[in-house]
Structure formats: structure tokens, C-alpha cells
Amino acid sequence: MKFTASAVSLNVDDVPASSAFLVEHFGFREEMAADGFASLTHDDAGMNVIFLRRGLESLPADQRDEHAAGLILAFVVEDLEGELARLRAEGVTITMPLTAEEWGERAFQVRDPNGVIVQLVDWNAPTSH
């Protein structure tokens, strides 16, 4: 199997709001958009993020009304503290403060206008005990 592209597709109520959030605060750009649909790309993300309006008839019946819940849209970044400061300065609410885990992950989270969790992460060597 050879993949030619990767994407994550999320059902939300307000597609333009989620799209604008990733464009404004995370440097994505809309590659395609239509009523109830937006596909965003970022040169560094390695995948597209697609937003679909909940209830779209083109979705299978068992998926139509589901909301993007129980998932985290995570991106590894080079300057975690710098990104945290930038997002705060842009007025984005930090919904999970910067935390460090013993396995070396450091992360913080924000939520887009539809409640989609966006997490920025970096990795360090695990701490010794």
C-alpha cells in the first residue's frame, strides 16, 4: 500500500469557525471549501485537517450527527513556550496549562470555537527517578 496523502476529518457544527481558527492561529490555509466542508493544509503538518458540518447527507447515517469528541488534534512544535506566549497574546484561551509528563512529553491545549481540542507538544528525554 502506498499512501499519497493523509487527513483527519472532524464533524463540527460551524465549519467556517473551526477553519478560521486554524488559519488565524496555526498558519493553516484552506485548500478547498464548500457549504458544510473545508479542507485545510499546512506545509509542516503532514496531513490535511477536514471539517464537515454535522448532519451532512453525504455522510453515512451512523456518522452524520457525531461531533468531533474524544480526540486531540496534536502538533509537535519546536518552540513550545514561544507558541504558548504567542497564542496567549492573540487572546486564545489556554484550556490545559503547560504540563510535563515523566515520559518526556510537554504539552498544552486550546479549544477551537466548536470545542475541538488542539494540543501543541514537544518531547524531551524522560526524567530520571
Side-chain angles (χ1 to χ4, degrees):
M1 177 184 313
K2 178 181 167 137
F3 294 114
T4 60
S6 298
V8 60
S9 184
L10 309 171
N11 293 351
V12 297
D13 290 319
D14 186 345
V15 169
S18 283
S19 180
F21 187 80
L22 287 188
V23 168
E24 180 178 350
H25 299 295
F26 295 93
F28 278 79
R29 64 186 181 279
E30 274 193 359
E31 199 170 57
M32 293 181 277
D35 183 36
F37 165 83
S39 178
L40 293 95
T41 187
H42 190 290
D43 292 340
D44 301 329
M47 68 173 186
N48 281 26
V49 176
I50 297 170
F51 293 110
L52 299 172
R53 186 180 59 241
R54 287 188 344 155
L56 277 179
E57 291 292 320
S58 60
L59 290 171
D62 64 340
Q63 297 174 22
R64 260 180 222 145
D65 296 317
E66 294 294 321
H67 181 270
L71 62 85
I72 298 170
L73 191 56
F75 301 105
V76 178
V77 297
E78 291 180 349
D79 180 10
L80 193 62
E81 285 85 357
E83 296 301 334
L84 178 60
R86 178 185 62 78
L87 288 166
R88 279 191 178 133
E90 292 175 2
V92 176
T93 301
I94 308 305
T95 56
M96 182 186 90
L98 181 59
T99 59
E101 302 294 346
E102 65 183 39
W103 55 83
E105 177 187 57
R106 296 183 327 135
F108 69 90
Q109 294 178 350
V110 302
R111 287 183 183 255
D112 86 349
N114 285 292
V116 174
I117 299 168
V118 180
Q119 177 171 293
L120 295 186
V121 180
D122 73 4
W123 293 89
N124 296 311
T127 56
S128 301
H129 292 287

